[in-house]
Amino acid sequence: DQQVKQNSPSLSVQEGRISILNCDYTNSMFDYFLWYKKYPAEGPTFLISISSIKDKNEDGRFTVFLNKSAKHLSLHIVPSQPGDSAVYFCAARARMTTDKLIFGTGTRLQVFP
Amino acid sequence: DVKVTQSSRYLVKRTGEKVFLECVQDMDHENMFWYRQDPGLGLRLIYFSYDVKMKEKGDIPEGYSVSREKKERFSLILESASTNQTSMYLCASGAGGPREQFFGPGTRLTVL
């Protein structure tokens, strides 16, 4: 049972435009959400996170939105740059666990000139 | 800067071989994790450890074991490698609580 879902395997966006990556979850016990970025042949790098008590967190070009009633989060990248081309994973942590993260299947973002 | 290192970037082994993947972190983190990444399946947790000599099974522990004799080091062992264990293996560490995990560069393992 996939508790964290990224339903779009790929996304293609023109440089300078907004990229919106989506993630849905099913477990209401998740209290912390993260986005990671991964280049080929490298480990994932942490991008941005949000606590379940917030609905928005911003860091430079990256903003994460959380809609708890819909069990949905999204990552906005504005403006998109070619260097943003990578696979993006969302992840969630459940309250009262031993800090396990549950990852989605990833979305490959391609930013073209 | 947090650093998580893995012993090999690329590894080729034969079916039936015993394989050791080593991971070292330098941030005194309590928690360490082993994942594998496969196309279309995301990152799946194999095992994790929240203290020295402590380990817990993740979502896909079959065919794997782990060892944590020192706080900074977490080893993944494939007792008898099989072709379906060909994958990218990622180690991570974390301080615990609602904070990020830090990943190593990964080991691309091919089992022939």
Side-chain angles (χ1 to χ4, degrees):
Chain A
D1 181 29
Q2 192 76 22
Q3 297 186 68
V4 178
K5 300 176 188 179
Q6 293 177 257
N7 292 319
S8 297
S10 64
L11 177 67
S12 190
V13 172
Q14 189 172 29
E15 182 179 5
R17 302 277 194 166
I18 184 170
S19 295
I20 300 176
L21 295 94
N22 294 303
C23 182
D24 297 299
Y25 62 95
T26 57
N27 190 339
S28 58
M29 295 298 287
F30 289 151
D31 65 346
Y32 186 65
F33 303 87
L34 309 90
W35 284 95
Y36 282 84
K37 173 179 176 179
K38 187 180 184 299
Y39 292 118
E42 293 184 15
T45 53
F46 170 73
L47 204 53
I48 193 168
S49 62
I50 188 166
S51 164
S52 60
I53 62 173
K54 296 187 175 182
D55 54 20
K56 178 182 173 181
N57 188 26
E58 197 170 351
D59 183 1
R61 296 187 297 115
F62 302 93
T63 303
V64 56
F65 294 92
L66 176 62
N67 182 335
K68 287 186 288 295
S69 60
K71 293 191 175 68
H72 177 83
L73 68 155
S74 60
L75 174 69
H76 292 209
I77 306 173
V78 183
S80 301
Q81 299 173 355
D84 296 329
S85 297
V87 178
Y88 289 78
F89 292 98
C90 68
R93 173 187 178 271
R95 240 188 314 264
M96 307 299 287
T97 69
T98 49
D99 298 316
K100 285 168 52 175
L101 293 180
I102 310 297
F103 283 83
T105 52
T107 296
R108 181 177 302 278
L109 172 66
Q110 184 181 6
V111 180
F112 59 93
Chain B
D1 256 6
V2 175
K3 196 147 191 184
V4 180
T5 56
Q6 295 184 227
S7 50
S8 305
R9 294 299 301 271
Y10 299 93
L11 212 50
V12 180
K13 296 290 181 181
R14 297 255 175 227
T15 301
E17 279 193 78
K18 191 168 186 175
V19 182
F20 293 87
L21 302 181
E22 302 280 331
C23 175
V24 177
Q25 52 99 359
D26 66 359
M27 281 302 291
D28 201 35
H29 284 161
E30 302 292 333
N31 300 333
M32 295 189 74
F33 308 83
W34 275 106
Y35 297 87
R36 61 179 280 177
Q37 184 204 354
D38 300 289
L41 297 177
L43 275 69
R44 294 180 293 165
L45 182 63
I46 305 171
Y47 265 98
F48 64 103
S49 168
Y50 50 91
D51 202 351
V52 175
K53 296 193 186 294
M54 305 300 287
K55 60 185 179 185
E56 282 203 25
K57 292 180 180 178
D59 300 316
I60 50 164
E62 296 79 19
Y64 304 95
S65 62
V66 290
S67 172
R68 193 165 181 202
E69 297 295 321
K70 294 185 177 181
K71 190 175 186 179
E72 68 271 17
R73 189 178 297 269
F74 192 34
S75 302
L76 180 70
I77 302 149
L78 287 66
E79 295 290 341
S80 177
S82 63
T83 55
N84 63 14
Q85 293 178 309
T86 291
S87 186
M88 168 70 93
Y89 288 89
L90 294 159
C91 175
S93 73
R99 281 172 280 193
E100 68 270 33
Q101 293 177 12
F102 297 88
F103 283 82
T107 297
R108 169 71 65 186
L109 172 67
T110 302
V111 182
L112 301 175

